Every structure is written in structure tokens, then in C-alpha cells.
Amino acid sequence: MIREPGTLAASDPSLSRPPGYTPRRDGGLGAYEAVLGRAGFAPVAGIDEAGRGACAGPLVVAAVVLDPARIKRLSGLADSKLLTAAAREEVYAEVLRWALDWHVVVIGNDQVDALGLHVCNVAGMRRAFAGLRCRPGYVLTDGFPVRGLGAPALAVWKGDRVTASVAAASVVAKVSRDRMMRDLHERYPLYGFDRHKGYNTDEHERALTEHGPSPVHRYSFVNVNRAVARPDPIDPIDPIDPVDPMDLMAAEDLAAMTPVAAVPLASHRA
């Protein structure tokens, strides 16, 4: 069955919505937060990730808690994938300005290889939520349910397109990761990380063929593993010099960030 954006990703009797507390289709991005607030579950946290499909670079997960009264001030807020890079930067600044709280977790490519992408994604969501200083009354996640958050939660299909909190988390995760990938481009300029951000494009495939994988590629991905086996790459990258996720966060240069525990996942928050 194909679900429409905004529908439940999993059935759970504890998540049934009583009459009068169903978000309206024309309620805008803040509809879920408004309904949950009326039901006594404010504040609401949204969680989303960036870099899940990339074959190089970190996986970045963000949790954001918005002030329901200020959601309408975020006029450009939308799913990060639907925004231009310039628009994302503007919305990112606005989200950090108006958010009640936010927290970012960075998971290095070595952890993705060692533990698996989905395991890292779920662990990152839990860590991002646990890093919030406020205690949300409800959590919205994009696409699939996450157990063990310690608060009631709802998985919303295409949540980054229909809920303000998840859209905000999507923007924060995406902009944070894009900045890190631009920093990695300075370290490994042969791959064009500043352009494709580690995703599998034709340009990226050609660079893998010519130079072999870098220390920040995910060797558990088929195309990267295949490039390792190719004989005599042109200008192969020295496999030493691993990149620590904390170094990437330091490269972000965001004035409001304060580091917290970072092993094996790196985390930052406002």
C-alpha cells in the first residue's frame, strides 16, 4: 500500500488519535505541532537525518524543538531537499534563531561500515533526542518509528514535507553535513565532495575509478568496495589520515555550538 505524506508509518494502538485531534490537510506545516499542543504534548521535537544514501562522508542526525507560536515566522521552511542551497542556509539560520532547542549528532563513515547504516541511523536519532536540554512531550520522526526515545513518538510518512519540526531537523542536518563535506573537499579535492556531497553521481563514480576510495568513503557500499578491487587506480589516495567526526564538527565554526560526549558518535548542540 502506498501511503500519502503525513500518514502513519506503523500502526500502534497507543498512537491512535482521538476525534478532534487529527491534523487538517490544509493546516500547513505547523498542523501536527498545533494538534499535539492542544492535546497536552508540547513541546514537540522533530528528528531527521542527512547523508543516509551517500557513499562517502558522515551520517548527520538532528533533533529540533520549535516554539509553536513562532512556526509561522519560518516562512521559507520546507523539506531540505526541496530548497536551494542558498535557501537552506537562510532557513537554517532562522531555525537556530527561533528554535527552543536543537542537537546534532555526527556518525563517521567508519561507524557506518562497522555497525550498518540503519543501526547508526536509529542510534543517531536516539542520541540526538537524548542531547536536547528540554524535555519534549512528543517526538515526530520521518518515515519509520524509532523505539527507545523515552517519549511518545509518531513516525510520519514524508514527515519532512508535512511537519514543521521534522522539516526543521531536515534543514539543520543537511546544512551541517554540507558544510562538513565542503571541509572534506579541502582534504580530498580529487572527488568533488563540495559539489555532490558524497552522493553517487557520475562525477563521483569517475573519481572513484580513477583514484580509488578515500579514507572517508564507506567501504560497506558496493560501488566503493568495487573500486577497491580495481587494479592500479590513478593517483591513489593514501589510506592513512582517518577523519574524526569531532574534527568535522569543529570545522563547522558555529558560534552557538558546545561539544558534548562524542565517542563513538560525535554530538553538538546549541
Side-chain angles (χ1 to χ4, degrees):
M1 180 179 68
I2 299 176
R3 292 183 293 268
E4 295 183 1
T7 60
L8 296 181
S11 59
D12 186 337
S14 66
L15 299 179
S16 60
R17 294 169 290 181
Y21 288 99
T22 301
R24 295 175 52 183
R25 289 179 178 271
D26 61 352
L29 274 181
Y32 275 78
E33 288 78 6
V35 164
L36 289 167
R38 288 197 297 270
F41 288 108
V44 177
I47 307 177
D48 203 7
E49 48 74 26
R52 182 179 176 92
C55 64
L59 177 70
V60 177
V61 185
V64 176
V65 181
L66 295 177
D67 182 348
R70 292 176 171 174
I71 287 177
K72 291 184 178 180
R73 298 190 184 187
L74 301 171
S75 58
L77 183 61
D79 173 11
S80 64
K81 295 184 290 295
L82 303 179
L83 299 172
T84 65
R88 278 195 300 267
E89 289 282 350
E90 292 178 3
V91 174
Y92 175 87
E94 288 297 298
V95 168
L96 297 196
R97 177 184 178 187
W98 297 114
L100 296 176
D101 199 5
W102 59 279
H103 190 78
V104 173
V105 170
V106 182
I107 305 168
N109 58 295
D110 57 336
Q111 291 296 308
V112 173
D113 285 340
L115 302 176
L117 183 61
H118 185 68
V119 170
C120 286
N121 199 3
V122 172
M125 289 183 167
R126 291 171 180 156
R127 284 285 300 276
F129 180 75
L132 295 170
R133 291 168 296 186
C134 71
R135 286 293 86 190
Y138 213 90
V139 189
L140 298 174
T141 60
D142 183 28
F144 60 89
V146 179
R147 300 185 184 278
L149 292 172
L154 180 68
V156 183
W157 185 248
K158 297 292 184 182
D160 47 7
R161 299 189 183 188
V162 296
T163 71
S165 299
V166 178
S170 172
V171 169
V172 171
K174 173 64 174 170
V175 171
S176 297
R177 186 178 186 277
D178 282 358
R179 293 179 178 183
M180 295 172 197
M181 295 308 295
R182 289 196 291 270
D183 180 63
L184 287 178
H185 174 72
E186 297 298 318
R187 302 185 189 207
Y188 309 105
L190 298 175
Y191 298 94
F193 290 145
D194 60 331
R195 295 182 292 277
H196 53 68
K197 307 302 187 294
Y199 287 91
N200 190 25
T201 64
D202 290 341
E203 175 192 7
H204 196 175
E205 277 294 314
R206 286 193 297 270
L208 274 172
T209 300
E210 293 176 4
H211 310 294
S214 75
V216 296
H217 276 90
R218 301 177 185 175
Y219 287 74
S220 56
F221 278 52
V222 172
N223 62 320
V224 177
N225 191 269
R226 185 170 57 238
V228 175
R230 291 191 181 111
D232 301 324
I234 302 172
D235 298 327
I237 296 295
D238 192 331
I240 63 173
D241 187 29
V243 176
D244 190 297
M246 286 300 291
D247 293 338
L248 293 177
M249 292 304 291
E252 272 263 56
D253 193 27
L254 299 176
M257 282 189 167
T258 302
V260 296
V263 179
L265 310 182
S267 309
H268 276 59
R269 72 183 181 193

